[in-house]
Each structure stands twice: as C-alpha cells, then as structure tokens.
Amino acid sequence: MSYAIIGFGAVGQALATMFARKSIEVAVASRRSPEALAPQASAIGPKVVPQSLEKALEADIIFLAVPFWEHREVAKGRASWKGKTVIDVTNAYGVPVEDLGGLPSSAVIARTLPGARLVKAFNHLPAAALAADPAIGGGRRVIFVSSDDDAAATPVRSLAEQLGFAPVWLGKLAEGGSLVQARDKSWAPLIFQDLFKKGA
C-alpha cells in the first residue's frame, strides 16, 4: 500500500510527522516543486519523500490536506480517480452553505473526484495535536472516520491504527460524518474534541 499527502502546510506536515514516527514511507506534494519541499521533508524524516503532484497522485491512499476549494485544482491532476482512496482532511469553515448546495463538504469534494473512494478522517484536530504522539497515559488519541463507502473506510481505519490512533467510526458522511464537517462559520460538534480511548 502506498501513501501520499497533498498539501504541505501545517496540517500536511503534521500528517507527515505521523508517518515518520512509525517509519512508514509517504510521498508529499503541493503547488511547490519537490525541491522546494525537500528541506522541510528531510527535517521531518527520511521516509517523507517530496514528489511532483502527478507522481504523488499515483499512491493508493491519498490525503487531501489543502484549503477547501483547492481540491478543484488537485482534481485536475488525474484523468481518472477510479480505484483511489482519498482521505478528506479539509475543513469548509467560512464556506457559505449555499456554495455547498446543501451537501456535506466531503460530498462536494467527492463530486470533483469521479471514481474516487472518499473517506473523511484526520480533520477534526489542529495540526499540533495531529503531530503529537497519539499514545498518552495508556490510551490512544481518537480519529473520527466517516464515509459513504464502508469498504473504503476499512483500510483507512487500519492505517489510523497503524499510525497509533484509535479510529472511531461515525458512519455515512451526511449522518455521523456531519459531526466533523464545518458549515459556513460554525464548527461541527466533534471538531477540536481531543479525545482518548483508554486501554487501547
């Protein structure tokens, strides 16, 4: 299984840190060239590999960690998204509800990535919490997972476990998943809730 993070700002770097901690190779890409990303990637760890956007989008599981509307530019990076699992780490805070057509923000993204298997996860915590060791006091930090594709969510939950987190399944995007999707200028109830699962 191969992994890539699209977007290398604070959240993208936090995600890369999660992989580096477990010595799992991950590609990173952004609007900047791989050479421009290299110093920060190297500082995070040797398993963090800067690539072009085109190359990074060949990964099996792709983390989308860009400002919300930039997903439209990322979508142009592949002619077909069939078979790709995309983990939506974006937040649509400040995006007017009418601009989303009444849909969950992840559903809007899914429409621009035809054929992709979209999973919402890793978006409810600030970058500093994502980058921190998820194992604390005999427990593990919770990561919420939701998707309209149960089969796509399974490897994402397994990856969260592999990275040291405790995945909690919320169900479909418009149901439990709505608890982690910002709308307009309101944060969903579970966003910023830094929870731990004891004895896990």
Side-chain angles (χ1 to χ4, degrees):
M1 191 72 72
S2 57
Y3 307 100
I5 299 164
I6 309 304
F8 205 49
V11 172
Q13 290 176 34
L15 294 169
T17 299
M18 299 183 329
F19 281 86
R21 185 183 297 113
K22 296 295 184 178
S23 295
I24 302 171
E25 184 169 304
V26 63
V28 294
S30 78
R31 289 175 296 182
R32 295 182 290 157
S33 69
E35 293 75 20
L37 304 182
Q40 186 59 47
S42 178
I44 294 172
K47 295 285 190 177
V48 180
V49 182
Q51 293 182 350
S52 67
L53 179 62
E54 182 181 25
K55 177 67 176 174
L57 291 179
E58 294 177 3
D60 299 312
I61 295 182
I62 299 164
F63 286 77
L64 188 63
V66 298
F68 180 73
W69 287 119
E70 285 189 22
H71 74 269
R72 295 178 294 192
E73 289 303 310
V74 176
K76 298 173 184 176
R78 288 190 63 83
S80 170
W81 288 83
K82 188 174 181 180
K84 298 298 178 185
T85 296
V86 176
I87 302 176
D88 175 19
V89 193
T90 70
N91 278 308
Y93 183 81
V95 177
V97 175
E98 54 269 24
D99 289 359
L100 299 176
L103 297 171
S105 59
S106 290
V108 173
I109 289 177
R111 286 185 169 187
T112 69
L113 308 174
R117 309 174 76 186
L118 193 131
V119 180
K120 187 76 169 177
F122 294 93
N123 73 296
H124 84 282
L125 293 171
L130 275 178
D133 191 334
I136 297 179
R140 292 181 296 154
R141 180 171 271 118
V142 165
I143 288 294
F144 296 112
V145 181
S146 60
S147 179
D148 292 339
D149 185 332
D150 291 358
T154 298
V156 174
R157 289 151 80 177
S158 296
L159 175 60
E161 293 261 8
Q162 191 178 358
L163 293 170
F165 293 88
V168 172
W169 174 241
L170 296 179
K172 295 191 179 299
L173 296 173
E175 296 168 0
S178 65
L179 298 174
V180 289
Q181 301 208 38
R183 292 176 67 83
D184 204 357
K185 294 193 176 175
S186 64
W187 292 106
L190 292 180
I191 293 181
F192 302 133
Q193 296 299 309
D194 195 4
L195 307 177
F196 290 83
K197 186 176 180 180
K198 292 291 186 182

